Amino acid sequence: MNILEAINDGLRRFTDFKGRSNRKQYLSFLLFYILVDLFINLANPNGTTINNVIMGALIVPLIAVEIRRSHDVGKSGWWILVPFYSIYLMFIESVPEAPIEKPEL
C-alpha cells in the first residue's frame, strides 16, 4: 500500500472505528492532515473560517485512524485521550492478529 492509498483508505473509512490500521496508514494520514493544515494557513493566513471548516471535516477521519491504530497495537480506542499517546502510536509495533480457528467437522 503506497501513501496515496493509505490516505484514501483513511478518508473512505472515516466512520469505521473498529478494525485496525497499520503504522504506515496512520503516519500517512497524519502527514496528510499536517500538510493540509500547513497549506491552508500559508495560502490564506487570515482565513480562519475556511481553515476551521476543512480541519473540522478532517478531524473525524483522523480520530478514526488513531482509534484503529490503537486497536492495532492491542489497546482500547479510549487511549487516544491520553496526552502524547499519538506520538507513542508512531513508534510502537503492531500486535499480530490471532489466527481464526476453523471448526473441525
Side-chain angles (χ1 to χ4, degrees):
M1 175 177 286
N2 63 25
I3 291 176
L4 293 177
E5 289 172 349
I7 294 168
N8 189 22
D9 180 65
L11 291 172
R12 277 187 297 111
R13 294 177 31 190
F14 74 95
T15 60
D16 181 15
F17 293 94
K18 296 183 186 325
R20 299 167 71 136
S21 288
N22 61 25
R23 187 174 7 177
K24 185 174 184 176
Q25 291 171 324
Y26 174 67
L27 290 175
S28 298
F29 197 81
L30 189 62
L31 178 66
F32 168 72
Y33 183 83
I34 292 168
L35 289 176
V36 166
D37 188 35
L38 183 67
F39 176 75
I40 291 171
N41 284 326
L42 290 176
N44 192 6
N46 296 329
T48 58
T49 303
I50 190 72
N51 187 15
N52 291 341
V53 168
I54 293 174
M55 291 296 105
L58 287 177
I59 195 72
V60 173
L62 180 65
I63 291 171
V65 169
E66 285 183 352
I67 289 174
R68 288 193 309 266
R69 176 68 181 138
S70 185
H71 293 162
D72 192 46
V73 298
K75 303 275 188 191
S76 169
W78 289 102
W79 277 90
I80 68 165
L81 298 175
V82 174
F84 303 110
Y85 184 70
S86 298
I87 296 170
Y88 171 76
L89 289 176
M90 290 184 212
F91 300 107
I92 191 76
E93 291 288 328
S94 298
V95 174
E97 289 188 56
I100 299 173
E101 295 182 24
K102 296 180 182 176
E104 295 182 28
L105 298 174

